Amino acid sequence: MSGTRFLIPTMRLLACLLLAGNLLALPCSAAVDDPEVGSLNRPERLEWFRDQGFGLFIHWSVDSQLGVVISHSLVGASPEYTDRFFQELPKSFDPHGFDPLDWARLARLAGVRYVMFTAKHHSGFAMFDTATTPFGIMNTPFHRDITKEVFDAFRSQGIAAGVYYSPDDFWWLHQNGKTIERLVPDVQPRNNPGLMGYDQAQLRELLTHYGKIDALFLDGEAVGLRDLAWKLDPDIIVTRGAIKTPELTVPGMPLPGAWETCMTMGTAWQYQPQNEHYKSGGELIRLLIQTRAKGGNFLLNVGPKPNGELPIEEEERLREIALWMFVNSDAIYAVRPWVITNEGDIWFTKKKDSQALYAIVESDAPWPRATWKDFTLHSVRATAGTEVSVLGQSDQVVEYHPEIKPQSSWHQEKDGLHVRVMQTQRLQDNFRWPNPAVVKITNAEPAFTPPHVQTTGSVAESSGQQETLRGEVLDMGDSSSLQVGFEYRPILGEDVNSRSAAWTATATQTIAKPGPFSAHIGGLSAKGRYEFRAVIRHPLLALYGAEIAMER
C-alpha cells in the first residue's frame, strides 16, 4: 500500500521527551495498538514492579508429557489427534516429582523477585482447581491444585505471585464447534460472548481464590479481562495487555516507563527433550544485565519436566545466575538507566534513589583473578565524593598473594573517568570466573550529553517491494557531526510480541545539524511484515529510535 505512515503523535512524542529529562533519550513506541492506552496500572505499583527487575516464567501443562510445543500442536491437528489430546493426555498426567518448594528455593537463591505461572495456556488445560471445565488438573491422577501449591511455595520464599492466563482456549473452541486457531477475529473472546464469560469466570477464580496476586500476564486480547482484574484488585499489575512485553528480544534503547522482556533458556517455552539448544549461563546473565541497563524487567522462563522436576540444564543455569546475583544483585534491583546504556562491553545501571552508579564489565574472555583491569568511562565525571570499588570484595586481600594490594583507584581526565580495579574474589576452583564483574562508583555525574533520534515513519512505493524510511535527529548532543541510518527486519515469531530475525543495517550518512533524514530500501516481500528503527552510530554506542512496523 502506498502513502505515508506517521505513527507517533506530537503529544505522545512531547510526553516522551519530557520523561527523558536532560539526560536520557527514551524512544517512544508507536501509538498503534499501544497496550498502555487506557491502562489502570497504578504508577506506584509500576514503580514497585520496576524495582524487582528479575522474574521467573514457568511454562508447564498437560502436553509436557509429549515434549511438544505447548498448546500450538492443536492448531491444524486432525480430529484423531485433537481427541487424543483432550481425552487421553489428562489420564496420564501425574507429576510425582513435583516439589514447588524446591523450585522456589532455587528461584530465591537466583535472585528472582516474582514468579509468573501458566495457570492456563492456549490449550485450555487448567492447572488450577476450577468449576468452569473438566479439562484440568483436578481430573488427572495427580488431582492436586498445582497453581495453589506453586504460589504458596514461592510466597514462603518472599517471591511475589503472578498469573499467566491465556484468553484463547482451544478446548472451548473445540467444544463449541469452532476451528482451533489463534489471532483471527472468529476465535477472539470479544466475538464470542460464551468464551468471554468463560474467561472472566476463570480469571475471577484465579484472582479471588489464591491470595494476593501481584501481576497478571494476559497472553492474548486483554479486552474484557484486564478491566475485570483491576476491578477485583486495583493494585494488580497487568503486564502483557497493559505494558510493553517484547518476547525473545531486548529493545535497542530504553523504553519509557515499565516494560518486561520474556526470554527462554533455550528455544522452547515448555519442556522439550529433543532439538533443544540452551543459552549458556553467561549469555543469560548478559541478557539480564542489558535488559536492566535499558530499564526493563527480565522474565526468564523454565519448563518443568512432566514429572515435576526442572531439567538439569535449567537448574545449572539458575545456579550460575544465583552465584552472579549473590555477588552483584545491588546492580540489578531498584535501578534505572544511566545517561547511556553502555560504552562498548561496559553496561551501566544506576540506583534510582541514591548516587550509586554500576559499571558492569563484560568480556569475551574471562578476567583472570589477581590481574589489574584499566578502562576509561567517557560518560562519567567524578566529584569530590566519588569512590570506586568492586562488588563482593573488600579490596584489601588477594588469597595466596600477600604481596598484592588490590585497592581500586581512579582519576579524572578530560576524556573521562579512568578506573583501575582488580578482581580478587575466588569464585571457582579454576580461578577464572567467566562472568561480568561490577564496579560501583559513588557520587559521579554524567559527562556526556547524548544525541536524540526519532523514527518517524515510512513511505511504501507502488511496487510494494521498496520503502523509504524516515527518521529525525532531534538534537546533536555533544557532537558536531553524526553518522545516521536505519535498521530493519522481518517480523517473525510466534506472535506479535516475539522476534526471531536479525536486523539489517542500511548505509549511513553524515549530518551536521538536527533534522530529518531518510533511506531507501528494496527487495522487500510485497506481503511481508517488517519493522524498522532509526539509528545514530555514535563513537560510544549505537543510539536507536523507536521500532515501528511497516505493514506491506
Side-chain angles (χ1 to χ4, degrees):
M1 182 175 66
S2 62
T4 304
R5 295 184 291 274
F6 293 100
L7 302 178
I8 305 180
T10 302
M11 291 305 294
R12 180 166 172 76
L13 172 61
L14 289 174
C16 292
L17 291 176
L18 287 172
L19 178 63
N22 294 323
L23 298 179
L24 184 62
L26 297 178
C28 301
S29 295
V32 175
D33 298 324
D34 188 342
E36 296 178 12
V37 173
S39 171
L40 298 180
N41 280 331
R42 290 183 168 176
E44 64 273 18
R45 292 291 292 151
L46 288 174
E47 276 294 295
W48 171 86
F49 179 70
R50 294 184 74 185
D51 290 347
Q52 308 314 299
F54 186 26
L56 185 70
F57 218 171
I58 303 176
H59 274 71
W60 194 30
S61 193
V62 65
D63 48 354
S64 61
Q65 299 173 89
L66 301 175
V68 68
V69 57
I70 188 169
S71 300
H72 293 281
S73 68
L74 285 165
V75 179
S78 68
E80 293 79 11
Y81 182 95
T82 303
D83 287 342
R84 286 196 298 272
F85 192 106
F86 290 138
Q87 302 301 325
E88 299 301 321
L89 276 182
K91 295 177 183 178
S92 54
F93 192 43
D94 189 12
H96 56 84
F98 171 60
D99 185 347
L101 194 55
D102 278 352
W103 297 359
R105 285 172 174 153
L106 177 56
R108 180 183 179 183
L109 195 65
V112 166
R113 289 290 184 88
Y114 64 99
V115 65
M116 199 70 74
F117 182 70
T118 48
K120 188 197 79 172
H121 204 264
H122 310 319
S123 73
F125 186 81
M127 296 286 277
F128 63 103
D129 188 358
T130 177
T132 62
T133 178
F135 187 54
I137 192 64
M138 303 309 289
N139 285 315
T140 68
F142 195 63
H143 196 72
R144 284 160 49 189
D145 190 337
I146 281 178
T147 295
K148 180 180 186 303
E149 294 187 30
V150 167
F151 288 161
D152 287 349
F154 276 79
R155 288 194 190 103
S156 76
Q157 299 302 302
I159 298 172
V163 166
Y164 166 104
Y165 182 81
S166 171
D168 295 32
D169 194 298
F170 297 162
W171 183 86
W172 188 94
L173 294 176
H174 183 68
Q175 292 297 110
N176 287 272
K178 289 184 172 290
T179 301
I180 294 174
E181 294 184 82
R182 285 205 78 215
L183 304 180
V184 296
D186 188 55
V187 301
Q188 301 294 356
R190 59 184 161 84
N191 296 321
N192 292 279
L195 178 55
M196 179 64 79
Y198 179 82
D199 282 347
Q200 289 176 338
Q202 289 188 338
L203 193 60
R204 189 178 295 272
E205 289 175 331
L206 287 164
L207 299 187
T208 59
H209 296 175
Y210 290 87
K212 175 65 176 174
I213 302 299
D214 288 283
L216 173 65
F217 188 109
L218 292 170
D219 197 5
E221 286 194 355
V223 176
L225 298 176
R226 68 177 194 170
D227 289 301
L228 173 62
W230 287 316
K231 180 180 179 180
L232 293 171
D233 183 359
D235 282 335
I236 198 169
I237 300 159
V238 178
T239 59
R240 178 162 294 177
I243 67 172
K244 295 175 182 63
T245 55
E247 186 170 306
L248 303 179
T249 188
V250 179
M253 288 288 284
L255 304 178
W259 62 275
E260 174 186 66
T261 193
C262 45
M263 187 68 62
T264 53
M265 283 197 179
T267 60
W269 292 101
Q270 188 170 244
Y271 172 68
Q272 288 185 4
Q274 304 90 23
N275 302 316
E276 180 62 302
H277 303 280
Y278 286 96
K279 302 172 185 70
S280 70
E283 287 177 291
L284 295 171
I285 289 168
R286 284 162 175 79
L287 286 167
L288 167 64
I289 290 165
Q290 292 171 21
T291 301
R292 295 304 284 151
K294 295 173 182 180
N297 282 26
F298 189 65
L299 183 60
L300 179 62
N301 183 73
V302 294
K305 294 162 62 176
N307 68 359
E309 298 174 350
L310 289 182
I312 186 60
E313 297 88 350
E314 296 183 353
E315 178 183 340
E316 288 171 348
R317 282 152 180 79
L318 283 174
R319 293 199 185 279
E320 185 170 351
I321 294 169
L323 174 53
W324 191 87
M325 287 289 284
F326 199 80
V327 176
N328 299 301
S329 60
D330 282 354
I332 297 299
Y333 301 135
V335 294
R336 299 293 184 267
W338 175 237
V339 58
I340 56 176
T341 58
N342 62 295
E343 296 185 32
D345 291 335
I346 299 176
W347 291 79
F348 298 104
T349 61
K350 182 182 184 298
K351 280 294 185 194
K352 70 169 190 175
D353 295 328
S354 77
Q355 295 301 310
L357 172 68
Y358 302 95
I360 306 169
V361 183
E362 296 183 352
S363 176
D364 292 334
W367 175 1
R369 193 181 71 103
T371 62
W372 291 104
K373 183 178 284 288
D374 296 270
F375 52 87
T376 301
L377 301 176
H378 303 285
S379 66
V380 183
R381 180 183 295 115
T383 70
T386 294
E387 295 181 357
V388 172
S389 60
V390 179
L391 288 187
Q393 62 189 47
S394 68
D395 272 13
Q396 300 299 314
V397 175
V398 182
E399 187 180 19
Y400 306 133
H401 289 281
E403 76 282 4
I404 296 177
K405 303 303 179 185
Q407 182 67 47
S408 301
S409 63
W410 61 268
H411 63 277
Q412 184 69 48
E413 301 290 346
K414 289 182 179 180
D415 63 341
L417 183 68
H418 290 242
V419 175
R420 190 169 201 248
V421 290
M422 177 180 288
Q423 197 167 28
T424 66
Q425 196 171 20
R426 184 182 179 190
L427 297 176
Q428 292 192 322
D429 288 83
N430 64 6
F431 295 92
R432 293 173 67 86
W433 172 239
N435 291 313
V438 180
V439 177
K440 180 180 180 181
I441 305 165
T442 58
N443 300 304
E445 298 175 345
F448 167 70
T449 301
H452 297 167
V453 66
Q454 171 189 340
T455 314
T456 55
S458 64
V459 180
E461 305 299 331
S462 57
S463 67
Q465 294 184 307
Q466 302 179 51
E467 192 101 7
T468 298
L469 310 180
R470 294 182 173 179
E472 182 177 6
V473 172
L474 301 176
D475 68 70
M476 302 288 289
D478 294 334
S479 303
S480 58
S481 66
L482 294 169
Q483 295 292 312
V484 299
F486 297 90
E487 293 180 348
Y488 64 97
R489 65 181 174 184
I491 296 176
L492 303 174
E494 291 183 356
D495 64 20
V496 296
N497 298 285
S498 62
R499 299 289 185 269
S500 58
W503 291 98
T504 298
T506 67
T508 59
Q509 54 189 284
T510 302
I511 64 169
K513 63 181 180 179
F517 61 95
S518 62
H520 183 77
I521 58 174
L524 303 176
S525 171
K527 295 184 179 180
R529 297 180 66 242
Y530 295 84
E531 65 181 354
F532 71 103
R533 61 191 182 187
V535 59
I536 293 173
R537 299 291 178 190
H538 191 276
L540 288 183
L541 80 167
L543 296 161
Y544 299 98
E547 296 158 11
I548 292 181
M550 293 185 283
E551 295 291 347
R552 311 298 299 158

